[in-house]
Amino acid sequence: MAQMVISASPALTLFNGFSGRAKQTGMLFPGWSRKHAISMSILMNFRSKGFSFVASGATQWNGGVAELAESETTSRSYTWPDKKKPRVCILGGGFGGLYTALRLESLVWPEDKKPQVVLVDQSERFVFKPMLYELLTGEVDVWEIAPRFSDLLANTGVKFFQDRVKQLHPSDHLGVNGPTISSRGGTVHLESGLVIEYDWLVLALGAEAKLDIVPGAAEFALPFSTLEDACRVDNRLRILERKRFGRDFPIRVAVVGCGYSGVELAATVSERLQDKGIVQAINVETTICPTAPPGNREAALKGSKHCQAKSSPSTDATTKARRNPQNTEEQLDLFDKILGKNEDLELEKIISNAEFSAALYVLKVLSSRNVELLLGYFVRRIRKSGISEVSEKQTESGAVLDAADEHETEKLILELQPAEKGLQSQTLEVDLILWTVGSKPQLPELEPCAWPRELPLNARGQAETDETLRVKGHQRIFAVGDSSSLRDSKGKLLPATAQVAFQQADFAGWNLWAAINDRPLLPFRFQNLGEMMTLGRNDAAISPSFIEGLTLEGPIGHTARKLAYLIRLPTDEHRLKVGISWLTKSAIDSVAAVQSSVIKALSGS
């Protein structure tokens, strides 16, 4: 039989006192031995450093999360409370998974058709990823953007399991059980040994950073996609800030990748470090944010200006910019100033990500801070320079450094190879490398099997789905977010963004309702609501798609962005708590600003 192994990230909650390797024998799959006269067993090996806390349906519940005794290591089946009602298992608790579960809870169901829902995630917290940057600036607290699943699901019927997926065994493939489709979806095996039998499955496992594409990246670069990543980056910056306090030389940070995440991260870090640091943003393409919608790209190109490397701005490009009636004189003057300051940049390519005014604002922010754009380069290798700022494992204050702190003070070398003609190879020496390039979905690695029930995956490892978000060939499996590969009406793959996952979760919940109640399923249609980028504390740029030509920037854009995300937080109760917290912080900041202004006025007089 096929065994599909789910890859997962290393963020685990370890059992106290667990050591060695634990071996478990499997169990016979319910009903399969009777139908096919096949007896199967599964041998599961658990690494001593990878054993996770798990919730078991056979044990008591505590605050919405099930508890498991440390001695329970044998394979066991989860017992659903009701044997007659539909059983829905959701793998992954990100935007796609959690919001699908909440959508199922919000729908009106016939009494005998309301499904029992189980949500599985390796972390104890849901993470609102678009606001991870605010953790670096101190604008938000962890509980605001990363609430615990137990708190979010406390007043729902959804059961949460903190565990990692080990194997997936679907039995709903067309043709597996003859001409008919199985009435049972299959089973999910968790690393703790728990086996969950389901009728309907939702794949929403998300993706993890891909660091194995460049030698040295996995060892020396830090990704920025999870709560643990954000906390690690914040801690590393604190260490560097402490070590450089009172010194003249700046902190050097390299951000690899200039997509939305890379640009936002570069702007946030540069705003935090201010004149104490220099941020270098590296991208293999000659654009920033290259995955933006074509309409926005065309609007930007209408007002863009082209200049060759190390040359003067093109007069023809300036004329084209001024011929565009949507570009104001103020924007055009700013355009000329920025271009004059950055003559070595191909501006028409750099601002291909958004409408003209928004693109100018982003470029203005990057230009006003210590952000250096290195476009048209790819990282060939990352290595240590062999130079450490502390020679005797001791700081200037006399505090002894531990091994981790000592490693964090070592200089790192990035070897850059040009991807464009006319560029020279470069070598950068930096203190910190932040990696925002590449991701890999956490979906099964398929093994050969005699039965045709493998998940159809694309080249990126995402499950191929039809327009109703059902995995092709599997009537009882849905896939959303990073786990899903779906094309729009023009045949282009939908981007792996929170906006797409949020909308897909709504459709997945509705289509599960329709499938369970024998109603027609709805085709998913993505509606691009616009682009939002944070550019540091109290600074953002927003270009809503439903109001052509409108761009909110600076403090107004920052406020609008926070309000938009506040509305999208998971539950009403959490939205209320976070809203009160943000309002209180804003009031305190306003009072502090007024006091500072009064003090300055009095001291000046």
Side-chain angles (χ1 to χ4, degrees), residues 179 231 282 308 316 328 345 406 413 435 437 477 510 570:
C231 292
I282 307 162
Q308 300 296 332
D316 293 337
T328 65
L345 301 179
E406 182 187 10
I413 299 295
W435 195 269
V437 178
I477 301 180
W510 172 261

Side-chain angles (χ1 to χ4, degrees), residues 564-585:
Y565 284 152
L566 178 64
I567 295 173
R568 290 197 172 187
L569 289 177
T571 64
D572 292 338
E573 182 181 358
H574 188 64
R575 279 192 289 269
L576 179 61
K577 291 180 180 178
V578 173
I580 293 174
S581 176
W582 287 357
L583 185 61
T584 303
K585 291 177 182 178

